Amino acid sequence: MAYDYRKLRGRIKEVCGTQNSFSKELGIGRVSLSQRLNNQLEFSQDEMIRACEILKIEKEEIPTYFFCVSSLEN
């Protein structure tokens, strides 16, 4: 199953400026973040919680940012 991370990407840009800055704050590499945003790897629960802290995402909003199923075929 592929997830649509467009809203998460927008929040990253809004709060951190770049994915590179966000990946450093999250404590993972730039390539690792890219793999997650491109559905090649999954976000761990710890990464999701840390991302929410960094991006000031309420816990109730987690499904909107991390579990929006993509309608596009890969």
Side-chain angles (χ1 to χ4, degrees):
M1 178 180 307
Y3 293 107
D4 181 346
Y5 291 117
R6 287 180 291 185
K7 187 165 183 159
L8 180 60
R9 288 175 189 266
R11 187 66 171 242
I12 290 168
K13 186 173 183 178
E14 180 183 313
V15 175
C16 296
T18 66
Q19 289 181 14
N20 191 44
S21 296
F22 175 66
S23 68
K24 287 179 184 177
E25 283 196 59
L26 189 57
I28 63 173
R30 178 183 49 82
V31 172
S32 293
L33 176 62
S34 178
Q35 290 172 323
R36 284 159 176 76
L37 293 173
N38 289 306
N39 288 289
Q40 295 169 339
L41 292 175
E42 294 181 357
F43 282 96
S44 72
Q45 290 180 354
D46 288 340
E47 289 167 344
M48 283 187 248
I49 290 170
R50 180 71 182 125
C52 289
E53 291 169 354
I54 295 165
L55 300 173
K56 297 172 181 57
I57 295 171
E58 297 294 326
K59 289 187 175 43
E60 301 80 34
E61 296 178 294
I62 289 173
T64 305
Y65 287 92
F66 290 95
F67 297 107
C68 183
V69 178
S70 176
S71 61
L72 302 175
E73 291 292 323
N74 286 341

